[in-house]
Amino acid sequence: DMLVATTRARAADSTVFTEKRADHINYAAMQVSIPRNHKAGNIEWSDQGDPDPAYHFLTARREFLTDRDFLRRIEQRVMAGGPEAGAVLVFVHGYNTLYQEAVYRFAQIIHDSGFKGTAVLFAWPSRGKAPLYLADRDASTYSRDYLEQTLLEIAKLRGVNEINLLAHS
């Protein structure tokens, strides 16, 4: 399970986020299925056709959230107790990363590390292609204030005692 804060725009069909910029921050909750025979460090992609959850990473559930629901979900998870209850891990993907790649990479990191706290993906609108580095640089700069705002809002929540920021480039 992970929560998502993103400056990516929602697709016209409203089921995913695109590489385009949103004019505000969007939120979602995701559940990713990890295959039984997963090898640490890998993302098992489906090469053809529909993914099979026995062999491939798969988005099992997706729900769009309001800003209040996003923060409420973090607070509920933190207050539920358990290992690493007060810890929030925020992952910021790097350049040249499509949305689904960021989701699955973070799911792989959460699974392989055994992290038990609250996982939050911050996804900015990367174009997902190396030749578009300058567009990605501009998009990451555009998203910087939204990332800061997200971290400050999380830090204010009852029960949050640490925020770990994992950034990849």
Side-chain angles (χ1 to χ4, degrees), residues 17-38:
F17 295 110
T18 70
E19 76 283 352
K20 295 187 170 113
R21 291 182 194 180
D23 58 3
H24 60 281
I25 194 159
N26 287 298
Y27 302 96
M30 310 269 307
Q31 185 177 57
V32 175
S33 171
I34 308 287
R36 287 186 294 273
N37 296 326
H38 167 69

Side-chain angles (χ1 to χ4, degrees), residues 25-99:
I25 194 159
N26 287 298
Y27 302 96
M30 310 269 307
Q31 185 177 57
V32 175
S33 171
I34 308 287
R36 287 186 294 273
N37 296 326
H38 167 69
K39 291 187 174 120
N42 290 338
I43 298 174
E44 288 80 11
W45 292 94
S46 172
D47 292 346
Q48 44 192 286
D50 292 332
D52 181 340
Y55 301 100
H56 309 113
F57 275 61
L58 175 76
T59 301
R61 184 179 52 80
R62 178 185 306 111
E63 175 186 3
F64 297 106
L65 305 172
T66 66
D67 55 344
R68 290 165 88 151
D69 289 336
F70 171 78
L71 294 171
R72 190 175 305 123
R73 295 263 181 112
I74 294 172
E75 194 170 63
Q76 287 171 345
R77 290 178 185 191
V78 166
M79 299 308 289
E84 300 180 270
V88 177
L89 175 61
V90 178
F91 176 63
V92 182
H93 64 78
Y95 288 89
N96 191 25
T97 303
L98 296 174
Y99 178 70

Side-chain angles (χ1 to χ4, degrees), residues 78 84-88 154-155 157-163:
V78 166
E84 300 180 270
V88 177
I154 292 170
L157 294 174
R158 177 174 53 120
V160 172
N161 58 29
E162 70 180 55
I163 298 173

Side-chain angles (χ1 to χ4, degrees), residues 74-159:
I74 294 172
E75 194 170 63
Q76 287 171 345
R77 290 178 185 191
V78 166
M79 299 308 289
E84 300 180 270
V88 177
L89 175 61
V90 178
F91 176 63
V92 182
H93 64 78
Y95 288 89
N96 191 25
T97 303
L98 296 174
Y99 178 70
Q100 203 61 30
E101 292 170 330
V103 168
Y104 288 173
R105 177 59 61 200
F106 192 34
Q108 175 261 316
I109 290 167
I110 296 164
H111 180 273
D112 293 355
S113 69
F115 179 71
K116 301 293 184 216
T118 301
V120 175
L121 169 64
F122 185 86
W124 53 274
S126 170
R127 294 295 182 108
K129 295 180 182 166
L132 298 173
Y133 179 86
L134 291 178
D136 272 13
R137 185 187 68 189
D138 290 345
S140 66
T141 300
Y142 166 78
S143 301
R144 177 178 51 207
D145 291 344
Y146 291 105
L147 172 60
E148 180 183 15
Q149 172 192 332
T150 300
L151 294 171
L152 290 171
E153 291 297 321
I154 292 170
K156 292 180 198 173
L157 294 174
R158 177 174 53 120

